[in-house]
Each structure stands twice: as structure tokens, then as C-alpha cells.
Amino acid sequence: MDCRIETAETRRNKCAACYRQFNKVEHLVDHMKISYHSVHEPTCGICRKHCRSFESLREHLIGPLPKPECKEIFANRGCKFCLKVLDSPNSRRVHQQKCQLSGLSGICGRFSNLGIRDNLTIGGGRGPQVVALACKMVGGGSDGSLDLCARVCLIDEHENIIFHSYVIPPIPITNYRYETTGIRHEYLRDAMPLKLVQRKIQDFLCNGEPIWTIRSKGGKARILVGHGLDHDLASLQIEYPTPKIRDTAKYPPLMKTSKLSNSLKYLTQAYLGYDIQTGIQDPYDDCVAAMRLYMRMRTQIHKTEDYPLASDSQNRNNFASWRQSELERMSPEQMLEISRSDYYCWCLDP
């Protein structure tokens, strides 16, 4: 049994965010320089420990080796989907019923099978400013292993279909992958050529703004949500600026503790509470899941900071080497106060 007592000296060298203990205060300073702890990290609602991702927080609460005190409280008052801790078991039950969502692949998903739905319009400030995109791939090449987009769906943040179309790939299809795509040869007879789909979606996303002028904030270009968007955009031969992309496969709070991507299927089951991608897959379901994950991350409430990113020019000297002596005189809480995130938190989106 560990009977060590925390002294003033050990508290002095303990990180105020992740609670890691260091032998010397200069080691704590070095840790803060590279940890990028911030108010945007997932945080335990019981002990207030900061975790790098929700997977790390989940392990802290209910993993193989959870913190016993937190595990006990979370078992009674914690939501297993969003990982929040509620005031009472009854509050937890009501909250979790709302937090667990249901799949919509039944009626809404089947509407997208009716063929082409083209509501793409460029309307300045009008129309949705956040959209989600997903594709379904068939196989090309001699062995059918080359991914070719044969179906694409685009929805708004209210889960309404903006655009759905089957797509004629630029090279012959050698494997329709029917077991998962549900796509047959006859579905593509009246499909749009890839170049036309590319132009329509690109123009809609840019919304009248030249692509080289698109900035992270402001402007008319739309925010694009999805999972594994690099792959989808490449298959559509579309280029879109990174500052406007919200990819659930690359968002640090949604990644594994190993910093690898989680599958959309896993994220949907773990954080939204329902299953997708069982049997024949509909891109509408993927769009909805990615949009719901984005909205759940975007609506988190974090402390407001004027300059929230470590890369902001106002924060570049927060842990500069020439401030070493000053930093070593700070308390762990003071160091956490000036620490900033190394990723853009989606709660910052307007």
C-alpha cells in the first residue's frame, strides 16, 4: 500500500492539469512547455484531471485501471456517452436518455437512394454555413483495390440532404463492392460525371469566395465536416483549405490514446450511442454521424480566452527559455493559467 504523504514541496512540483509529479520544478516547467495543457482538454468532472483525449478520460473513469474514487462516483452519476458527471443518479438517467441518439438510416437514409438530389446553391450569407460530406467507394484497377467514388452525399447541420448523387468514376469499375456499397451497374447509368460533381461541390463549399482567399475565420466559405476527409476529397479531386475542415478522424479529443484515428463506426457507438455501417452502408448515415460528433464537440462550454492557441503571436513567449527563472517561481496553477492549446477547439467556431 502506498502511504506517501503529499507535502508542500511535492505539490509544488505537481502539474495542475494532468497531476503528474516531478522531482524538480524545472522538470515541471519543461513538461508545461511541451504538454499544451489548456481549458479545451477533456477534463474529469470529479477530480478535474485534464486528459489529452476523451479516450484517455474514458480510461481514467472506467478503463482497465481507473482511478477508484472517480470510478465509484462515475458509476452512479456519470454519462457513458459524453462522460459528464451529473448531480444525482436521477439526473444522470434523464441526461443519458437525451445523450444517446438513434440512427436515421431507415426513412431519411432511403430517401437518398432515390437518385440525384441537387440543392446546391451559392447564396452569399444565405444557406448552411456548416455541411458534412461522405462518399462510398467502389473498386477500380485490375484487382479492384483502387478506391473510386461512386456515390456522394452532402447534408446541412440540421441533417437535411443538400446534395446526393451517384458518380461516374474517371476509370472503369472492376468491383462494385455491393455487400457494403449496395451499388449496382444500373444505378450509374444516369449518374453525374466526376468532373461535374467536383465542380458543383467545390463551388458550393467556396460559396463565391476564391479558394486562395479563404481564411480560418470570416468570409463566405463553408465549414466542411466529415470523417477521413483527405480520402473523400482526393477521390472527388477537390482541394479545400485546411482551416475550413473539421475532420473527426483527426480531431485530437476524438483520437485514441496512441494518437491514431478512431473509426467513425466506433465513435458513433461510443459517443452517440447507436450503430452505423452494418451491412449495406449509406453515405447519409456517415454524414449524420460526423455532423452529430462535430456538433457535440462544438457545443462544449469552455472558458473564453482572447488568444486560445499556443500558436497565437501573443502566446509565443509564454514559456520562452529566457523566462525560465520566472516560470520556476510560478505555482503550477499559474503555469496552467498561461498554457494554451496546440489544436483548434471546435467550440471556437461561430
Side-chain angles (χ1 to χ4, degrees):
M1 182 177 179
D2 190 351
C3 297
R4 288 177 296 179
I5 298 174
E6 189 175 63
T7 65
E9 183 61 28
T10 56
R11 285 197 299 272
R12 176 72 182 84
N13 301 337
K14 183 179 181 179
C15 177
C18 66
Y19 301 155
R20 184 176 172 184
Q21 185 70 56
F22 297 91
N23 292 328
K24 297 181 179 180
V25 67
E26 55 262 37
H27 297 164
L28 171 59
V29 172
D30 290 340
H31 164 75
M32 295 300 294
K33 288 179 180 179
I34 62 174
S35 64
Y36 299 103
H37 289 309
S38 76
V39 296
H40 298 286
E41 290 178 304
T43 304
C44 176
I46 303 161
C47 71
R48 308 310 299 170
K49 177 183 179 181
H50 289 225
C51 298
R52 188 61 178 170
S53 67
F54 282 101
E55 285 301 285
S56 178
L57 177 57
R58 188 181 295 275
E59 289 185 5
H60 169 77
L61 293 168
I62 55 177
L65 295 171
K67 185 176 180 181
E69 299 89 338
C70 296
K71 177 183 179 182
E72 182 178 354
I73 295 174
F74 187 81
N76 291 321
R77 298 194 276 118
C79 174
K80 66 179 181 180
F81 301 114
C82 69
L83 305 182
K84 290 181 180 177
V85 177
L86 287 303
D87 295 332
S88 67
N90 185 58
S91 298
R92 174 263 191 104
R93 185 175 63 255
V94 173
H95 168 88
Q96 194 161 275
Q97 288 174 350
K98 296 178 180 179
C99 204
Q100 181 175 14
L101 304 179
S102 60
L104 299 176
S105 59
I107 297 174
C108 295
R110 290 195 177 94
F111 274 128
S112 68
N113 282 318
L114 296 177
I116 294 173
R117 296 188 66 185
D118 185 359
N119 297 322
L120 298 186
T121 56
I122 300 173
R126 300 178 182 177
Q129 291 307 303
V130 180
V131 297
L133 178 143
C135 301
K136 287 301 168 187
M137 309 292 177
V138 293
S142 59
D143 61 353
S145 63
L146 183 63
D147 286 344
L148 305 172
C149 176
R151 190 175 174 195
V152 61
C153 184
L154 200 66
I155 69 167
D156 63 20
E157 56 191 296
H158 303 294
E159 303 175 8
N160 300 309
I161 296 174
I162 302 169
F163 179 76
H164 167 264
S165 179
Y166 289 103
V167 182
I168 301 175
I171 64 174
I173 299 171
T174 55
N175 184 353
Y176 282 87
R177 304 175 184 174
Y178 177 79
E179 294 77 10
T180 56
T181 66
I183 296 174
R184 300 182 185 275
H185 170 74
E186 54 266 28
Y187 295 175
L188 303 183
R189 287 175 183 163
D190 298 320
M192 287 188 187
L194 177 65
K195 286 294 183 183
L196 178 58
V197 172
Q198 173 204 35
R199 189 179 74 248
K200 281 178 170 288
I201 294 178
Q202 180 105 53
D203 289 348
F204 177 75
L205 293 176
C206 294
N207 199 23
E209 188 173 356
I211 194 167
W212 59 88
T213 67
I214 294 175
R215 307 177 305 280
S216 59
K217 293 185 179 180
K220 297 183 293 182
R222 295 178 164 95
I223 291 173
L224 178 62
V225 176
H227 188 85
L229 280 170
D230 286 350
H231 187 228
D232 286 348
L233 292 175
S235 71
L236 292 167
Q237 299 179 9
I238 290 175
E239 294 184 4
Y240 202 57
T242 301
K244 287 293 185 181
I245 288 177
R246 306 290 181 265
D247 194 334
T248 55
K250 292 184 174 182
Y251 189 51
L254 292 177
M255 297 179 77
K256 298 178 181 179
T257 54
S258 61
K259 298 184 180 180
L260 297 175
S261 298
N262 278 301
S263 67
L264 183 60
K265 182 182 179 72
Y266 170 78
L267 292 174
T268 304
Q269 196 280 327
Y271 296 100
L272 302 179
Y274 67 95
D275 293 318
I276 61 168
Q277 299 177 352
T278 56
I280 291 177
Q281 301 172 15
D282 193 314
Y284 175 78
D285 292 340
D286 292 356
C287 284
V288 169
M291 181 63 81
R292 288 176 171 181
L293 287 165
Y294 167 76
M295 295 301 291
R296 185 155 287 182
M297 297 295 105
R298 174 177 155 180
T299 53
Q300 290 187 60
I301 299 174
H302 297 144
K303 178 183 175 182
T304 302
E305 297 168 325
D306 291 335
Y307 304 102
L309 297 176
S311 58
D312 290 335
S313 59
Q314 293 83 359
N315 297 322
R316 288 176 184 168
N317 289 326
N318 286 8
F319 289 94
S321 299
W322 54 266
R323 296 187 65 186
Q324 183 72 21
S325 297
E326 178 188 355
L327 291 166
E328 290 179 11
R329 291 194 297 271
M330 288 184 179
S331 68
E333 291 74 21
Q334 288 172 325
M335 279 190 273
L336 178 59
E337 185 68 24
I338 65 171
S339 185
R340 294 293 184 268
S341 175
D342 60 343
Y343 66 86
Y344 178 86
C345 182
W346 293 348
C347 78
L348 300 172
D349 280 348

